[in-house]
């Protein structure tokens, strides 16, 4: 305190002294340290006004911009910092200035410009990685197409320009505009693309030359690891009203309640515990969060007509910018038809992919069987090196559909399906379907005789001394048939896909081992993801890989954060319904936080999303309103599921 008094007296008495700028700068530093930023800004303003050519001019301007940014005065901070003569600053101060300018800039193109300068100064133009990279990714992710077009025109050639071109190419491919994608990739090729961006360029070029369906789009989605570096989208600034239509009574009420819990969590209904603020009821099943998000909740009761009526009622409220739900396919169909007629965005929590087609206001986000199958096959081929596959499926509508999906995915990845067999969904004995996979069907009489002789040999071996019996058991399987062909079991596939629930898998997998179908890669869907699978099947499923729509134990930061907050709020672990509800709400809140507060702008913003880091998986929207997702991949190791993402 005394130092500030003496220095202030000196400046007042000798304002023209050559030492006055240094004293004023020291006064600003002391004021900032002692929690008086207003006084610090006052002294820095004085220094810049009274001694504009002082040696401390640039440092004072940088310090003033930093204080303005910390106070939340972004426009003032950007104006102050833009006047800096960067050549007069040290490298450390230039990095600090560029970082502050990027933080203060409201326009995404200006923000990219300053981030580009930060990256070049801090890491060099060709560096593989930089501390600026995650921030650049976030800006690109949140930028609309018009901003990307401006960035492509205004930014100087360099790493960031190349990444802008890559983002434009990826979006053009999703929209089916191969000409625009080619032009963007041609521009990207002329820019430096270090590290993973060079690999992304090659993948996009390959996709352009061999365009695929939604599977190709899913293959371009960032991994969980890549998105983890970007962090969760910030929706704190979101304000607006959302409609909710879910089954809160009736046989599906528990699923509706789980979905609603996820929505409440995303909307910040529970507030900030440290502030003491909580949600307030607003009447007619309405809830308002402390941050300004309001929810209008309606119960569909699992009834299509009731859901459609609820959508029309909510659409009549001009404050409602979007509606979330319902869950069931038939109910969602009725709600989607009503939403389309009323012109209100509907984000449905169903897996029916036909729902949004020809309905520009309707979106669908739930993880589909296609999402799971595509992720499994890409992993099996790309990471595990599998090329030959077999399918063992229940003979029902679900099983046949999964068989066809899996077969198509294997074909698209360049693999072969070499064996297919089905079983009665009510079966407990799987001998015949398993044996049909490993060569026991269409045997000749001579081969049947040879098999009987081999079986007799193995029975006699039981009476032999252990060492001799061991030799017989090793030799017997190598005996060839009369035509010099291998005798069953002939396991000529690398991986076996079983699309069924865990209750059936625990019965089936021990019988695979009994029939000598071992040392193969087992692949399963989300129906396998249950603790009983490991508790009962144990070693028979060790090493299996499954795809799931949610993993409450995931270590991916944005998923783990959701699970932790859910447990804190509700005292239990979240499930897939809660995760999908959370994501549906967050997707809309992201648009509101960006200032897109009309129904039309919310719909446009959702379609422009390219890589949302969701609690239920990585997500992007196709032009028809369907979400394409990267689900969770898990392996069975010992007696637990472990994440493979």
């Amino acid at each position: 305190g005394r130092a500030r008094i003496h220095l202030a007296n000196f400046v007042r008495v000798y304002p023209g002294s050559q030492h006055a700028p240094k004293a004023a700068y020291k006064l600003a530093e002391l004021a900032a340290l002692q929690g008086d930023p207003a006084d610090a800004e006052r002294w820095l303003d004085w220094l810049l006004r009274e001694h504009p050519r002082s040696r401390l001019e640039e440092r004072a301007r940088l310090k003033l911009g930093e204080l303005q940014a910390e106070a939340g005065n972004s426009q003032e901070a950007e104006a102050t910092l833009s006047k800096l003569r960067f050549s007069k600053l040290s490298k450390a101060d230039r990095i600090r200035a560029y970082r502050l300018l990027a933080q203060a800039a409201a326009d995404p193109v200006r923000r990219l410009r300053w981030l580009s300068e930060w990256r070049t100064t801090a890491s060099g133009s060709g560096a593989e990685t930089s501390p600026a990279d995650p921030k650049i990714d976030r800006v690109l992710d949140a930028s609309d197409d018009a901003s990307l077009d401006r960035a492509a025109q205004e930014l100087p050639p360099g790493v960031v320009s190349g990444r802008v071109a890559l983002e434009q190419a990826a979006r053009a491919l999703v929209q089916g505009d191969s000409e625009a994608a080619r032009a963007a990739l041609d521009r990207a090729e002329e820019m430096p693309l270090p590290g993973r961006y060079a690999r992304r360029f090659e993948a996009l070029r390959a996709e352009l030359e061999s365009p695929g369906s939604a599977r190709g789009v899913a293959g371009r989605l960032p991994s969980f690891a890549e998105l983890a570096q970007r962090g969760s989208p910030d929706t704190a600034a979101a304000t607006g009203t959302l409609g909710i239509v879910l089954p809160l009574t009736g046989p599906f009420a528990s699923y509706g309640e789980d979905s609603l819990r996820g929505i409440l969590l995303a909307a910040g209904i529970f507030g900030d515990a440290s502030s003491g603020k909580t949600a307030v009821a607003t009447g007619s099943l309405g809830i308002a969060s402390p941050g300004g998000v309001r929810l209008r909740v309606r119960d569909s009761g699992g009834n299509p007509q009731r859901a459609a009526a609820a959508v029309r009622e909510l659409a009549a409220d001009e404050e409602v910018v979007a509606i979330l739900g319902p869950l069931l396919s038939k109910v969602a169909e009725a709600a989607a038809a009503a939403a389309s007629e009323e012109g209100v965005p509907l984000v449905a929590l169903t897996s029916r992919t036909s729902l949004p087609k020809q309905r520009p206001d309707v979106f669908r986000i739930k993880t589909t069987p296609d999402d799971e199958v595509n992720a499994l096959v890409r992993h099996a081929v790309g990471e595990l090196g599998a090329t030959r596959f077999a399918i063992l499926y229940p003979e029902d509508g679900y099983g046949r559909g999964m068989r066809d999906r899996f077969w198509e995915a294997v074909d698209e990845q360049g693999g072969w399906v070499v064996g297919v067999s089905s079983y009665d969904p009510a079966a407990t004995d799987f001998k015949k379907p398993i044996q049909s996979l490993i060569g026991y069907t269409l045997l000749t009489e001579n081969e049947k005789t040879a098999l009987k002789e081999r079986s007799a040999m193995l029975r006699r071996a039981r009476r032999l001394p252990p060492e001799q019996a061991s030799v017989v058991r090793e030799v017997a399987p190598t005996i060839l048939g009369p035509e010099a062909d291998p005798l069953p079991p002939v396991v000529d596939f690398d991986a076996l896909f079983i699309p069924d629930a865990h209750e059936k898998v625990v019965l089936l997998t021990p019988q695979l081992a009994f029939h000598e179908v071992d040392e193969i890669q087992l692949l399963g869907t989300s129906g396998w993801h249950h603790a009983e699978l490991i508790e009962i099947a144990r070693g028979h499923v060790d090493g299996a890989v499954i795809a799931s729509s949610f993993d409450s134990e995931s270590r991916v930061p944005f998923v783990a954060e959701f699970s932790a907050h859910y447990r804190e709020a509700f005292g239990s672990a979240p499930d897939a319904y809660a995760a999908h509800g959370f994501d549906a709400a967050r997707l809309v809140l992201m648009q509101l936080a960006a200032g897109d507060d009309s129904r039309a702008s919310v719909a446009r913003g959702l379609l422009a999303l390219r890589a949302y880091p969701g609690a239920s998986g990585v997500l992007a929207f196709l032009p028809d309103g369907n979400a394409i997702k990267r689900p969770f991949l898990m392996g069975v190791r010992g007696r637990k599921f472990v994440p493979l993402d």
Side-chain angles (χ1 to χ4, degrees):
R2 295 180 64 184
R4 288 175 68 182
I5 293 171
H6 290 309
L7 285 169
N9 287 336
F10 174 82
V11 173
R12 291 189 185 96
V13 174
Y14 305 104
S17 167
Q18 62 178 338
H19 300 297
K22 188 174 182 180
Y25 189 84
K26 191 65 178 178
L27 279 164
E29 285 187 319
L30 289 170
L33 284 172
Q34 294 172 8
D36 191 355
D39 196 53
E41 288 189 35
R42 185 172 66 83
W43 283 113
L44 291 169
D45 274 328
W46 181 89
L47 191 161
L48 292 169
R49 185 177 62 255
E50 300 297 328
H51 295 270
R53 292 292 177 263
S54 164
R55 291 182 179 180
L56 291 169
E57 179 189 6
E58 304 309 325
R59 288 180 63 190
R61 199 178 303 282
L62 177 57
K63 183 67 175 177
L64 177 59
E66 186 174 41
L67 289 169
Q68 290 168 336
E70 288 175 355
N73 301 321
S74 297
Q75 288 185 335
E76 292 181 17
E78 187 177 10
T80 298
L81 295 167
S82 296
K83 296 175 184 176
L84 282 166
R85 292 178 292 174
F86 292 93
S87 61
K88 301 290 186 180
L89 296 175
S90 66
K91 178 180 178 180
D93 281 346
R94 287 202 306 276
I95 293 171
R96 183 171 148 215
Y98 292 138
R99 189 175 68 246
L100 287 167
L101 277 161
Q103 176 186 325
D107 177 65
V109 178
R110 291 203 308 275
R111 187 171 296 173
L112 286 170
R113 174 197 166 193
W114 297 122
L115 287 169
S116 178
E117 295 286 356
W118 175 14
R119 190 187 199 284
T120 301
T121 304
S123 310
S125 58
E128 287 285 305
T129 60
S130 166
D133 287 345
K135 297 182 181 297
I136 294 169
D137 286 342
R138 280 198 290 271
V139 175
L140 289 175
D141 229 14
S143 296
D144 58 25
D145 292 348
S147 296
L148 289 179
D149 290 342
R150 283 198 300 115
Q153 295 171 5
E154 297 176 18
L155 292 178
V159 172
V160 176
S161 295
R163 285 156 74 170
V164 168
L166 287 181
E167 183 65 19
Q168 289 179 305
R171 295 188 186 189
L173 282 170
V174 170
Q175 294 162 1
D177 190 345
S178 59
E179 185 176 339
R182 190 179 303 280
L185 286 175
D186 287 344
R187 292 197 306 274
E189 194 170 22
E190 298 174 1
M191 309 291 178
L193 294 172
R196 61 192 176 97
Y197 298 98
R199 295 191 292 275
R200 189 181 184 203
F201 171 86
E202 295 300 332
L204 289 170
R205 180 70 81 182
E207 176 64 16
L208 178 64
E209 302 304 331
S210 303
S213 61
R215 290 181 177 82
V217 179
R220 291 197 305 274
L221 283 173
S223 67
F224 283 91
E226 289 174 311
L227 280 182
Q229 297 176 4
R230 306 185 195 179
S232 299
D234 186 3
T235 60
T239 60
T241 304
L242 308 183
I244 316 294
V245 179
L246 291 169
L248 301 176
T249 57
F252 303 100
S254 63
Y255 304 123
E257 289 169 1
D258 288 339
S259 302
L260 180 59
R261 286 180 173 186
I263 293 169
L264 294 174
L265 196 67
I269 293 303
F270 300 98
D272 182 350
S274 63
S275 70
K277 296 179 179 179
T278 58
V280 295
T282 60
S284 187
L285 282 178
I287 307 169
S289 77
V293 176
R294 297 172 298 280
L295 304 180
R296 303 279 189 266
V297 184
R298 299 295 180 268
D299 176 18
S300 71
N303 180 279
Q305 292 74 29
R306 189 170 168 182
V311 167
R312 295 187 192 283
E313 177 198 345
L314 291 168
D317 182 348
E318 293 182 356
E319 292 186 355
V320 173
V321 295
I323 298 173
L324 312 180
L327 302 178
L328 308 175
S329 295
K330 290 183 179 180
V331 182
E333 184 67 37
S340 185
E341 291 173 8
E342 300 293 336
V344 60
L346 177 83
V347 183
L349 308 177
T350 178
S351 58
R352 177 176 282 190
T353 56
S354 63
L355 190 76
K357 293 181 178 178
Q358 307 304 317
R359 291 169 174 158
D361 297 302
V362 177
F363 301 84
R364 184 207 58 77
I365 72 160
K366 187 177 180 182
T367 309
T368 66
D370 271 347
D371 295 325
E372 294 183 11
V373 165
N374 296 337
L376 276 176
V377 175
R378 283 196 303 271
H379 182 79
V381 173
E383 302 296 328
L384 305 178
T387 58
R388 298 167 67 85
F389 296 84
I391 307 171
L392 184 57
Y393 67 96
E395 186 58 58
D396 56 17
Y398 172 79
R400 289 189 293 271
M402 293 300 281
R403 173 201 63 193
D404 295 344
R405 289 183 176 98
F406 189 84
W407 202 324
E408 185 180 351
V410 169
D411 285 345
E412 290 197 356
Q413 292 293 322
W416 296 271
V417 174
V418 298
V420 179
S421 184
S422 66
Y423 53 85
D424 185 331
T428 56
D429 183 354
F430 304 95
K431 176 181 178 180
K432 287 185 178 180
I434 291 173
Q435 287 190 338
S436 73
L437 283 177
I438 54 178
Y440 280 92
T441 57
L442 303 177
L443 291 172
T444 66
E445 289 302 319
N446 288 337
E447 286 172 333
K448 291 178 182 178
T449 300
L451 277 174
K452 290 179 181 178
E453 292 176 355
R454 189 178 70 182
S455 297
M457 180 191 300
L458 290 170
R459 285 196 299 273
R460 289 195 296 271
R462 297 172 189 166
R463 299 192 294 271
L464 296 174
E467 291 184 3
Q468 294 179 27
S470 177
V471 172
V472 172
R473 283 194 292 270
E474 288 182 14
V475 171
T478 66
I479 296 174
L480 299 178
E483 286 81 27
D485 291 327
L487 291 172
V490 180
V491 182
D492 59 349
F493 44 88
D494 308 314
L496 175 62
F497 176 56
I498 307 174
D500 211 335
H502 74 277
E503 296 95 338
K504 192 67 65 177
V505 176
V506 299
L507 299 175
L508 201 156
T509 49
Q511 295 185 43
L512 287 172
F514 178 81
H515 291 288
E516 301 178 74
V517 183
D518 49 18
E519 297 185 5
I520 58 160
Q521 178 64 59
L522 293 176
L523 303 175
T525 56
S526 55
W528 289 42
H529 192 194
H530 196 283
E532 287 183 357
L533 177 83
I534 299 170
E535 293 170 5
I536 299 173
R538 298 192 178 186
H540 295 299
V541 293
D542 196 33
V545 173
I546 69 170
S548 182
S549 58
F550 181 59
D551 177 14
S552 65
E553 302 301 323
S554 173
R555 296 192 297 269
V556 176
F558 51 84
V559 183
E561 182 180 349
F562 159 71
S563 295
H565 289 171
Y566 188 95
R567 287 186 176 95
E568 181 181 354
F570 301 109
S572 61
D575 61 9
Y577 289 95
H580 283 113
F582 179 84
D583 286 341
R586 292 270 285 180
L587 286 165
V588 175
L589 293 175
M590 285 171 60
Q591 314 315 310
L592 299 180
D596 295 330
D597 55 2
S598 71
R599 292 176 178 181
S601 61
V602 166
R604 285 196 300 270
L606 290 174
L607 274 180
L609 278 171
R610 292 297 173 266
Y612 166 71
S616 63
V618 178
L619 175 153
F621 280 110
L622 296 172
D624 66 359
N626 268 303
I628 193 77
K629 299 183 77 171
R630 182 187 293 279
F632 297 84
L633 285 177
M634 287 176 282
V636 179
R637 301 290 183 269
R639 294 195 179 185
K640 61 182 180 179
F641 292 105
V642 297
L644 301 179
D645 302 302

